[in-house]
Amino acid sequence: TLFRDSFTVSAWVKPRDGQKADMGILGVETGAFMTAGTSVFRFYINALGGLMFWHDVGVKISGGSTTAIHFTDGVNSYAHVAIVVQKVTDGQTQYYVYINGGRVGLSLLGNEDDTFRLTDTEHVLFDSGGLDVSIGAFNDDGTQTNFLDGSLDEVSVFDAALNSSDVDDLYNKGNPYDLTSNSDLLMYYRFEDHATPTTAVDTTGNHTGTVNG
């Protein structure tokens, strides 16, 4: 099941204004933050122009934001962004964020206090309740929120924690590129293979989606 093991999200993003309200890159959530039965994963540009994530399973929540501003007020060019989420056996889930191939500093919720870090036994309980992941927004219990004001391209999800060399390779391949030979590829939206204007084709053939807007 999606997000119950290690995974990586990669995308090229171009916000029109990098310092607006929080804008989703990819997200799905069911339930309310820090309550029993909740599962949340959000990866987004926050209102300060940094990258941010939330990863919530039940009453335990992990989160963090980049320590530097990466998207400014006004027109931005395309940037490659990625988040690597690594489930650690008998340990705490680790998070790594990259921009244009380089790993960037993170300020983690609770300053890495154990209270705010998922253990492996909590990580595997993630359950989106059958909800689809939204790209360029969050799927909040079936309602899309926090739309990205801008453009996304070459969005991919891998069911593995890619290493820094792998992420750097994704960036250096440029845009567009072809990832179909990667054995860890779970979802891959190139946004140039649409069968219809309202169909988002997953090149892996696993998760064809619907275009809204």
Side-chain angles (χ1 to χ4, degrees):
T1 301
L2 186 64
F3 301 151
R4 287 188 177 177
D5 210 323
S6 299
F7 61 94
T8 301
V9 176
S10 164
W12 287 86
V13 59
K14 181 183 178 183
R16 291 191 179 91
D17 181 347
Q19 297 178 335
K20 297 184 65 173
D22 297 342
M23 297 187 291
I25 295 173
L26 181 146
V28 62
E29 52 193 273
T30 179
F33 275 112
M34 299 185 73
T35 59
T38 294
S39 290
V40 176
F41 180 75
R42 294 180 172 186
F43 182 42
Y44 59 102
I45 300 171
N46 65 24
L48 298 177
L51 288 172
M52 193 163 183
F53 70 90
W54 290 106
H55 190 194
D56 183 1
V57 179
V59 297
K60 184 66 75 70
I61 184 170
S62 290
S65 61
T66 55
T67 54
I69 294 172
H70 299 283
F71 298 97
T72 57
D73 185 8
V75 177
N76 291 269
S77 58
Y78 269 104
H80 181 258
V81 300
I83 182 169
V84 176
V85 179
Q86 184 173 24
K87 181 173 76 69
V88 178
T89 302
D90 298 323
Q92 297 174 323
T93 300
Q94 301 296 308
Y95 304 92
Y96 309 98
V97 172
Y98 297 80
I99 297 180
N100 291 334
R103 183 177 162 187
V104 295
L106 286 178
S107 175
L108 296 174
L109 181 67
N111 197 27
E112 302 196 47
D113 186 311
D114 288 354
T115 306
F116 298 96
R117 300 296 294 276
L118 297 180
T119 64
D120 60 336
T121 54
E122 293 160 338
H123 187 124
V124 299
L125 296 178
F126 191 97
D127 184 2
S128 63
L131 294 175
D132 294 326
V133 171
S134 285
I135 295 172
F138 306 141
N139 185 348
D140 184 355
D141 283 312
T143 300
Q144 289 189 313
T145 66
N146 296 85
F147 287 92
L148 175 73
D149 181 14
S151 302
L152 278 171
D153 204 4
E154 300 287 338
V155 178
S156 52
V157 179
F158 302 82
D159 56 3
L162 300 187
N163 61 37
S164 58
S165 162
D166 294 329
V167 175
D168 186 58
D169 188 50
L170 289 177
Y171 168 62
N172 284 311
K173 283 181 183 297
N175 176 17
Y177 47 58
D178 187 355
L179 299 174
T180 52
S181 62
N182 189 304
S183 60
D184 295 319
L185 190 62
L186 180 65
M187 303 178 186
Y188 183 24
Y189 300 94
R190 304 185 69 188
F191 300 116
E192 56 189 35
D193 304 322
H194 295 346
T196 71
T198 58
T199 301
V201 173
D202 175 8
T203 305
T204 70
N206 297 321
H207 302 90
T208 292
T210 302
V211 175
N212 294 306

